Amino acid sequence: MAATQAAPVLPTGTKFADSLIRVTERLSALMETEVDLLRGNRARDIKALQSDKESLTAVYQRMMSDLHATPDALTGIDDGRSSALRRAAERLEKSAHGNAIALRTAVEANTRLMEAIADAIRDRSNENATYGANAQMGQANAQTSLTVSLNQTL
């Protein structure tokens, strides 16, 4: 006799709505904190949030997948929960958008900084370079070489 696999039981009703609201609000708050850290030039502090962000995102994605698999999962919830869920979704959308902009801006600023440092190093090493026999720039004098170390955060 072949064993049949039962379909997974997906959460429904007020418990599911309350859980979804909680997860959505926590994820929104975390992304807003991340944006505040970026704006406050505290990008290094973001690393401590990443584990929570990944976990909350995975839970949120699973819940949304469950919701899509069971479209009537929220049928019958009261107006207050429905309104709270709508507000939580709007907040998450706004937070995610702001988070994406802040992260993109930080990465672009970091890239520009790295390029400026690299340009300054090239300019500095070219100041001390000599012309070789083939009329091209040779290596800078070893005594005037510049060593640079970078700690990349983002």
Side-chain angles (χ1 to χ4, degrees):
M1 182 174 211
T4 58
Q5 188 174 12
V9 177
L10 300 175
T12 59
T14 57
K15 259 187 167 177
F16 182 71
D18 290 344
S19 294
L20 185 56
I21 291 166
R22 242 185 338 272
V23 168
T24 304
E25 288 292 336
R26 286 181 57 204
L27 186 55
S28 296
L30 194 141
M31 283 194 267
E32 291 162 0
T33 298
E34 196 172 71
V35 169
D36 290 342
L37 291 172
L38 286 168
R39 288 184 180 153
N41 292 321
R42 296 176 49 207
R44 291 177 190 198
D45 296 338
I46 290 174
K47 188 173 186 175
L49 303 176
Q50 291 311 297
S51 178
D52 285 345
K53 185 177 180 183
E54 289 171 9
S55 297
L56 283 170
T57 300
V59 169
Y60 178 80
Q61 287 175 334
R62 183 182 37 88
M63 292 181 85
M64 293 307 294
S65 177
D66 290 350
L67 183 59
H68 288 292
T70 312
D72 60 344
L74 298 176
T75 301
I77 63 170
D78 60 87
D79 290 343
R81 277 189 179 86
S82 181
S83 179
L85 192 53
R86 195 174 304 107
R87 284 191 310 272
E90 289 168 359
R91 179 181 177 198
L92 180 61
E93 185 176 342
K94 182 179 175 186
S95 298
H97 182 71
N99 185 268
I101 290 171
L103 286 170
R104 192 175 321 115
T105 301
V107 168
E108 289 171 2
N110 193 32
T111 300
R112 284 192 306 271
L113 175 64
M114 293 301 128
E115 289 170 353
I117 290 170
D119 289 345
I121 291 169
R122 267 192 299 279
D123 291 347
R124 172 82 182 193
S125 58
N126 284 340
E127 288 175 4
N128 299 317
T130 58
Y131 282 101
N134 59 2
Q136 292 190 2
M137 296 290 278
Q139 293 292 324
N141 183 338
Q143 292 176 339
T144 59
S145 292
L146 182 63
T147 301
V148 176
S149 174
L150 299 174
N151 181 5
Q152 198 169 15
T153 308
L154 290 176

